[in-house]
Amino acid sequence: MKLFSLFTKTEKKGSDSTIGSEEILEGNAPSASTDDIETTLSLHPQWTISQEQEYVFRFLANELEPLKPDQISLSGIDIDVDESNGNWLVKAFFRSSLSQSITLGEVELLLLDREGNMLASQQFNLEELGDIPATSARPWVFVFTKENLFAETPPDEGWKLAFNVQSMVPHKLELEPAWEDGLSADQKAALEKAVESMPKLKPREVNIAGFQVKKQEDGSIATSVFIRNGHSKQINIENLPLELIDATGDLIARGSFKLDSFDVKANTSKPWTFIYPKEMVQKEDPDFSRWSIRVPQ
Protein backbone atom coordinates (compact mmCIF):
# COMPACT_ATOMS: atom_id res chain seq x y z
CA MET A 1 0.00 0.00 0.00
CA LYS A 2 1.21 3.52 -0.79
CA LEU A 3 1.90 6.16 1.83
CA PHE A 4 0.20 9.50 1.31
CA SER A 5 1.03 13.09 2.17
CA LEU A 6 -1.61 15.66 2.99
CA PHE A 7 -3.17 18.61 1.23
CA THR A 8 -6.70 19.94 1.06
CA LYS A 9 -9.03 21.25 -1.60
CA THR A 10 -12.38 22.99 -1.32
CA GLU A 11 -13.43 23.99 -4.86
CA LYS A 12 -16.20 22.14 -6.70
CA LYS A 13 -17.40 22.25 -10.29
CA GLY A 14 -20.52 24.29 -10.95
CA SER A 15 -22.91 24.74 -8.06
CA ASP A 16 -21.95 23.63 -4.57
CA SER A 17 -23.67 20.26 -4.54
CA THR A 18 -22.22 19.21 -1.19
CA ILE A 19 -21.97 21.10 2.08
CA GLY A 20 -18.66 19.55 3.04
CA SER A 21 -15.27 20.24 1.48
CA GLU A 22 -12.75 17.72 0.20
CA GLU A 23 -9.51 16.40 1.66
CA ILE A 24 -7.00 14.69 -0.60
CA LEU A 25 -4.03 12.48 0.20
CA GLU A 26 -1.40 12.35 -2.52
CA GLY A 27 1.03 9.51 -3.20
CA ASN A 28 4.60 10.21 -2.10
CA ALA A 29 6.11 9.06 -5.38
CA PRO A 30 5.54 11.62 -8.16
CA SER A 31 3.42 10.30 -11.00
CA ALA A 32 4.65 10.38 -14.58
CA SER A 33 1.22 11.69 -15.59
CA THR A 34 -0.36 15.00 -14.62
CA ASP A 35 -3.65 14.37 -16.42
CA ASP A 36 -6.87 14.95 -14.51
CA ILE A 37 -8.73 11.77 -13.63
CA GLU A 38 -12.50 11.64 -13.36
CA THR A 39 -13.81 9.21 -10.73
CA THR A 40 -16.98 7.21 -11.38
CA LEU A 41 -19.60 6.12 -8.87
CA SER A 42 -18.97 2.75 -7.21
CA LEU A 43 -21.58 1.39 -4.79
CA HIS A 44 -20.73 -1.19 -2.16
CA PRO A 45 -21.87 -4.64 -3.42
CA GLN A 46 -24.05 -5.13 -0.33
CA TRP A 47 -25.79 -1.76 -0.56
CA THR A 48 -29.44 -1.83 -1.61
CA ILE A 49 -30.72 1.61 -2.55
CA SER A 50 -33.53 2.94 -4.69
CA GLN A 51 -33.03 4.09 -8.27
CA GLU A 52 -33.69 7.64 -7.10
CA GLN A 53 -30.98 7.42 -4.40
CA GLU A 54 -28.53 6.03 -6.93
CA TYR A 55 -29.34 8.91 -9.27
CA VAL A 56 -28.60 11.43 -6.49
CA PHE A 57 -25.25 9.78 -5.67
CA ARG A 58 -24.33 9.64 -9.34
CA PHE A 59 -25.19 13.33 -9.77
CA LEU A 60 -23.11 14.31 -6.72
CA ALA A 61 -20.18 12.15 -7.84
CA ASN A 62 -20.23 13.71 -11.30
CA GLU A 63 -20.08 17.21 -9.76
CA LEU A 64 -16.76 16.53 -7.99
CA GLU A 65 -13.51 17.99 -9.30
CA PRO A 66 -11.18 15.50 -11.06
CA LEU A 67 -8.25 14.12 -9.09
CA LYS A 68 -4.62 13.94 -10.09
CA PRO A 69 -3.05 10.46 -10.46
CA ASP A 70 -2.32 8.47 -7.29
CA GLN A 71 -4.60 10.32 -4.89
CA ILE A 72 -7.26 9.26 -2.43
CA SER A 73 -9.76 11.68 -0.93
CA LEU A 74 -12.75 12.16 1.31
CA SER A 75 -15.43 14.47 -0.07
CA GLY A 76 -18.21 15.42 2.35
CA ILE A 77 -21.87 15.17 1.36
CA ASP A 78 -23.95 15.96 4.45
CA ILE A 79 -24.44 15.22 8.15
CA ASP A 80 -27.56 13.85 9.84
CA VAL A 81 -28.16 13.41 13.57
CA ASP A 82 -29.62 10.15 14.85
CA GLU A 83 -32.16 11.51 17.31
CA SER A 84 -32.41 8.16 19.13
CA ASN A 85 -28.81 8.20 20.37
CA GLY A 86 -27.21 11.52 19.36
CA ASN A 87 -24.77 9.95 16.90
CA TRP A 88 -23.73 11.95 13.84
CA LEU A 89 -24.15 10.23 10.46
CA VAL A 90 -21.54 11.75 8.18
CA LYS A 91 -22.05 10.93 4.51
CA ALA A 92 -19.03 11.27 2.24
CA PHE A 93 -17.42 9.91 -0.91
CA PHE A 94 -14.21 7.91 -0.54
CA ARG A 95 -12.45 8.62 -3.84
CA SER A 96 -9.42 7.02 -5.47
CA SER A 97 -7.53 7.94 -8.62
CA LEU A 98 -5.15 5.00 -8.23
CA SER A 99 -4.73 2.77 -11.27
CA GLN A 100 -5.51 -0.33 -9.20
CA SER A 101 -8.08 -1.21 -6.55
CA ILE A 102 -7.32 -0.38 -2.93
CA THR A 103 -8.41 -1.66 0.49
CA LEU A 104 -7.53 0.29 3.62
CA GLY A 105 -7.55 -0.74 7.28
CA GLU A 106 -7.82 1.11 10.59
CA VAL A 107 -7.54 4.89 10.43
CA GLU A 108 -8.69 7.78 12.60
CA LEU A 109 -10.98 10.27 10.87
CA LEU A 110 -11.42 13.85 12.04
CA LEU A 111 -14.45 16.06 11.48
CA LEU A 112 -13.32 19.70 11.22
CA ASP A 113 -15.21 22.98 10.87
CA ARG A 114 -14.28 25.64 8.33
CA GLU A 115 -11.67 27.12 10.73
CA GLY A 116 -10.04 23.72 11.24
CA ASN A 117 -11.42 23.18 14.76
CA MET A 118 -12.01 19.54 15.62
CA LEU A 119 -15.70 18.66 16.02
CA ALA A 120 -15.29 14.88 16.26
CA SER A 121 -12.66 12.17 15.95
CA GLN A 122 -13.06 8.42 15.78
CA GLN A 123 -11.25 5.30 14.65
CA PHE A 124 -12.81 3.55 11.64
CA ASN A 125 -11.99 0.30 9.91
CA LEU A 126 -12.03 1.35 6.26
CA GLU A 127 -11.87 -2.30 5.27
CA GLU A 128 -15.65 -2.20 5.72
CA LEU A 129 -15.87 -0.06 2.58
CA GLY A 130 -14.70 -3.11 0.65
CA ASP A 131 -12.37 -3.20 -2.31
CA ILE A 132 -12.40 0.29 -3.83
CA PRO A 133 -12.02 -0.01 -7.64
CA ALA A 134 -9.51 2.10 -9.56
CA THR A 135 -10.62 5.67 -10.38
CA SER A 136 -13.87 5.46 -8.42
CA ALA A 137 -15.95 7.32 -5.83
CA ARG A 138 -17.68 5.20 -3.20
CA PRO A 139 -20.34 6.79 -0.95
CA TRP A 140 -20.30 5.78 2.70
CA VAL A 141 -21.88 6.73 6.01
CA PHE A 142 -19.37 7.25 8.83
CA VAL A 143 -21.15 7.01 12.19
CA PHE A 144 -19.48 9.20 14.82
CA THR A 145 -20.81 8.03 18.18
CA LYS A 146 -21.83 10.56 20.81
CA GLU A 147 -18.80 9.96 23.06
CA ASN A 148 -16.50 10.97 20.18
CA LEU A 149 -18.22 14.32 19.52
CA PHE A 150 -16.78 17.62 20.76
CA ALA A 151 -19.66 19.90 19.70
CA GLU A 152 -23.35 20.05 20.51
CA THR A 153 -24.59 20.37 16.91
CA PRO A 154 -23.04 19.58 13.53
CA PRO A 155 -22.01 22.44 11.22
CA ASP A 156 -24.26 23.46 8.34
CA GLU A 157 -21.51 24.08 5.80
CA GLY A 158 -17.78 24.44 5.29
CA TRP A 159 -16.92 21.31 7.30
CA LYS A 160 -14.39 18.71 6.24
CA LEU A 161 -13.91 14.99 6.92
CA ALA A 162 -10.17 14.49 7.22
CA PHE A 163 -7.70 11.64 7.56
CA ASN A 164 -5.57 11.69 10.68
CA VAL A 165 -2.37 10.97 8.78
CA GLN A 166 -0.55 10.11 12.02
CA SER A 167 -2.90 7.16 12.52
CA MET A 168 -1.94 5.79 9.09
CA VAL A 169 1.74 5.36 9.97
CA PRO A 170 3.22 2.95 12.54
CA HIS A 171 3.57 4.04 16.15
CA LYS A 172 7.23 4.86 16.67
CA LEU A 173 9.93 5.55 19.22
CA GLU A 174 10.79 9.13 20.21
CA LEU A 175 13.99 9.93 22.10
CA GLU A 176 15.00 12.99 24.09
CA PRO A 177 18.31 14.47 22.83
CA ALA A 178 20.16 13.15 25.90
CA TRP A 179 18.96 9.61 25.14
CA GLU A 180 19.66 10.01 21.42
CA ASP A 181 23.26 10.99 22.17
CA GLY A 182 23.85 8.55 25.02
CA LEU A 183 22.53 5.28 23.59
CA SER A 184 24.35 2.94 21.22
CA ALA A 185 22.79 1.85 17.92
CA ASP A 186 22.04 -1.58 19.46
CA GLN A 187 20.30 -0.02 22.47
CA LYS A 188 18.17 2.18 20.21
CA ALA A 189 17.27 -0.82 18.08
CA ALA A 190 16.22 -2.74 21.20
CA LEU A 191 13.95 0.12 22.29
CA GLU A 192 12.42 0.34 18.80
CA LYS A 193 11.73 -3.40 18.85
CA ALA A 194 10.09 -3.09 22.28
CA VAL A 195 7.81 -0.28 21.06
CA GLU A 196 6.81 -2.31 17.99
CA SER A 197 5.93 -5.35 20.12
CA MET A 198 3.55 -3.51 22.48
CA PRO A 199 -0.25 -3.70 22.12
CA LYS A 200 -1.72 -1.04 19.84
CA LEU A 201 -3.01 2.06 21.61
CA LYS A 202 -6.62 3.10 21.29
CA PRO A 203 -7.30 6.54 19.78
CA ARG A 204 -6.37 9.29 22.29
CA GLU A 205 -5.08 6.69 24.80
CA VAL A 206 -2.03 7.58 26.89
CA ASN A 207 -0.42 4.96 29.10
CA ILE A 208 2.78 4.06 30.95
CA ALA A 209 4.66 0.81 30.25
CA GLY A 210 7.70 -0.16 32.34
CA PHE A 211 10.62 -1.96 30.72
CA GLN A 212 13.46 -1.87 33.30
CA VAL A 213 13.69 -1.67 37.08
CA LYS A 214 16.86 -1.69 39.20
CA LYS A 215 17.58 -1.26 42.89
CA GLN A 216 20.53 1.08 43.37
CA GLU A 217 23.36 0.75 45.90
CA ASP A 218 22.08 3.76 47.85
CA GLY A 219 18.69 2.09 48.34
CA SER A 220 16.86 4.07 45.66
CA ILE A 221 15.00 2.33 42.81
CA ALA A 222 15.37 3.35 39.16
CA THR A 223 12.46 2.56 36.87
CA SER A 224 12.60 3.05 33.10
CA VAL A 225 9.28 3.35 31.32
CA PHE A 226 7.72 4.24 27.99
CA ILE A 227 5.22 7.11 28.04
CA ARG A 228 2.94 6.14 25.15
CA ASN A 229 0.85 8.74 23.31
CA GLY A 230 -2.03 7.54 21.15
CA HIS A 231 -3.30 11.08 20.54
CA SER A 232 -3.23 12.75 17.14
CA LYS A 233 -1.56 15.73 18.83
CA GLN A 234 1.52 16.25 21.00
CA ILE A 235 0.98 16.08 24.75
CA ASN A 236 2.89 17.90 27.47
CA ILE A 237 3.44 16.43 30.94
CA GLU A 238 4.53 18.67 33.80
CA ASN A 239 3.86 16.48 36.83
CA LEU A 240 3.46 12.69 36.93
CA PRO A 241 2.47 10.70 40.05
CA LEU A 242 3.55 7.04 39.81
CA GLU A 243 3.20 3.91 41.94
CA LEU A 244 5.59 0.94 41.66
CA ILE A 245 4.08 -2.53 42.23
CA ASP A 246 6.02 -5.80 42.53
CA ALA A 247 5.11 -9.40 41.60
CA THR A 248 3.22 -9.96 44.86
CA GLY A 249 1.01 -6.92 44.26
CA ASP A 250 2.65 -4.93 47.04
CA LEU A 251 3.13 -1.19 46.72
CA ILE A 252 6.90 -0.71 46.63
CA ALA A 253 7.14 3.04 46.15
CA ARG A 254 4.97 6.02 45.45
CA GLY A 255 6.08 9.45 44.27
CA SER A 256 5.20 12.47 42.19
CA PHE A 257 7.75 13.53 39.58
CA LYS A 258 8.06 17.08 38.28
CA LEU A 259 9.00 17.21 34.61
CA ASP A 260 10.38 20.25 32.83
CA SER A 261 8.52 20.74 29.50
CA PHE A 262 8.30 17.01 28.82
CA ASP A 263 6.63 16.65 25.40
CA VAL A 264 5.56 13.41 23.74
CA LYS A 265 4.81 13.76 20.05
CA ALA A 266 1.67 12.37 18.45
CA ASN A 267 1.64 8.59 17.90
CA THR A 268 4.98 7.99 19.65
CA SER A 269 6.42 6.36 22.77
CA LYS A 270 9.14 8.17 24.72
CA PRO A 271 11.35 6.38 27.27
CA TRP A 272 12.27 8.02 30.57
CA THR A 273 13.79 6.95 33.87
CA PHE A 274 12.19 7.84 37.19
CA ILE A 275 14.19 7.33 40.41
CA TYR A 276 12.44 6.71 43.71
CA PRO A 277 14.73 7.92 46.56
CA LYS A 278 15.29 5.49 49.44
CA GLU A 279 12.85 7.37 51.67
CA MET A 280 10.02 6.70 49.18
CA VAL A 281 10.64 2.93 49.14
CA GLN A 282 8.13 1.07 51.33
CA LYS A 283 9.32 -2.56 50.96
CA GLU A 284 12.87 -3.64 51.64
CA ASP A 285 13.09 -6.74 49.43
CA PRO A 286 10.66 -6.35 46.51
CA ASP A 287 10.06 -9.20 44.09
CA PHE A 288 10.79 -7.78 40.66
CA SER A 289 10.34 -11.06 38.77
CA ARG A 290 7.24 -9.22 37.54
CA TRP A 291 6.38 -5.61 38.17
CA SER A 292 4.26 -2.76 36.99
CA ILE A 293 4.12 1.00 37.26
CA ARG A 294 0.90 2.98 37.23
CA VAL A 295 -0.67 6.35 37.72
CA PRO A 296 -2.61 6.17 41.03
CA GLN A 297 -6.38 6.38 40.78
Side-chain angles (χ1 to χ4, degrees):
M1 181 184 135
K2 298 189 178 187
L3 292 176
F4 295 86
S5 57
L6 177 67
F7 71 93
T8 62
K9 188 172 188 175
T10 56
E11 295 86 359
K12 299 283 190 291
K13 289 194 299 187
S15 61
D16 189 4
S17 60
T18 71
I19 58 175
S21 59
E22 183 167 18
E23 162 145 314
I24 302 173
L25 298 186
E26 184 174 21
N28 285 339
S31 173
S33 172
T34 58
D35 295 338
D36 289 344
I37 294 178
E38 300 279 354
T39 54
T40 57
L41 181 67
S42 169
L43 297 174
H44 192 283
Q46 295 181 3
W47 267 31
T48 302
I49 61 176
S50 68
Q51 190 173 11
E52 182 181 4
Q53 288 173 315
E54 182 175 346
Y55 171 80
V56 171
F57 280 128
R58 195 171 300 280
F59 173 80
L60 294 176
N62 289 340
E63 285 289 292
L64 295 171
E65 281 284 325
L67 296 174
K68 296 299 182 183
D70 294 334
Q71 294 178 340
I72 61 174
S73 84
L74 290 168
S75 182
I77 300 173
D78 62 31
I79 304 175
D80 291 325
V81 178
D82 186 336
E83 299 296 343
S84 67
N85 52 30
N87 295 343
W88 290 5
L89 312 179
V90 180
K91 293 195 281 293
F93 287 106
F94 181 98
R95 305 174 68 207
S96 168
S97 66
L98 300 177
S99 59
Q100 71 278 347
S101 62
I102 182 174
T103 303
L104 295 180
E106 294 278 345
V107 63
E108 185 181 12
L109 298 184
L110 312 175
L111 186 64
L112 309 174
D113 66 14
R114 65 165 67 250
E115 284 80 32
N117 300 312
M118 191 183 301
L119 304 176
S121 72
Q122 187 169 313
Q123 192 88 358
F124 290 92
N125 184 1
L126 298 189
E127 193 173 356
E128 294 177 358
L129 276 68
D131 197 32
I132 310 297
T135 63
S136 67
R138 175 158 292 179
W140 198 253
V141 180
F142 297 94
V143 180
F144 284 83
T145 56
K146 190 173 182 179
E147 62 269 21
N148 292 308
L149 305 177
F150 311 129
E152 294 296 324
T153 57
D156 292 328
E157 57 183 17
W159 56 271
K160 179 174 64 179
L161 188 61
F163 300 97
N164 174 9
V165 181
Q166 285 286 347
S167 71
M168 301 175 72
V169 298
H171 190 89
K172 63 182 181 181
L173 175 71
E174 179 195 0
L175 295 175
E176 282 282 301
W179 286 63
E180 187 73 53
D181 296 339
L183 296 178
S184 67
D186 287 345
Q187 288 172 320
K188 293 176 187 176
L191 291 177
E192 288 173 352
K193 187 174 181 180
V195 168
E196 291 170 2
S197 67
M198 290 181 182
K200 187 176 180 180
L201 291 168
K202 297 176 183 177
R204 301 187 298 280
E205 179 183 2
V206 176
N207 69 27
I208 310 290
F211 64 88
Q212 187 178 77
V213 62
K214 186 176 181 181
K215 194 167 184 179
Q216 312 283 73
E217 290 184 1
D218 62 1
S220 64
I221 297 177
T223 58
S224 296
V225 306
F226 289 112
I227 301 177
R228 309 179 67 217
N229 180 17
H231 278 265
S232 58
K233 294 183 178 180
Q234 177 175 291
I235 61 172
N236 176 268
I237 302 174
E238 296 181 353
N239 192 68
L240 188 61
L242 291 172
E243 293 180 340
L244 179 64
I245 310 298
D246 76 353
T248 66
D250 290 340
L251 176 65
I252 304 306
R254 178 191 286 123
S256 186
F257 298 90
K258 184 174 176 58
L259 300 169
D260 184 21
S261 299
F262 191 84
D263 299 325
V264 185
K265 293 178 182 175
N267 200 27
T268 67
S269 290
K270 177 181 280 190
W272 198 250
T273 297
F274 297 95
I275 298 177
Y276 292 94
K278 182 178 180 180
E279 55 269 22
M280 287 187 182
V281 178
Q282 301 181 21
K283 185 176 180 180
E284 193 167 320
D285 295 307
D287 178 2
F288 287 138
S289 59
R290 292 193 320 276
W291 62 282
S292 62
I293 194 163
R294 68 191 184 193
V295 177
Q297 299 299 315

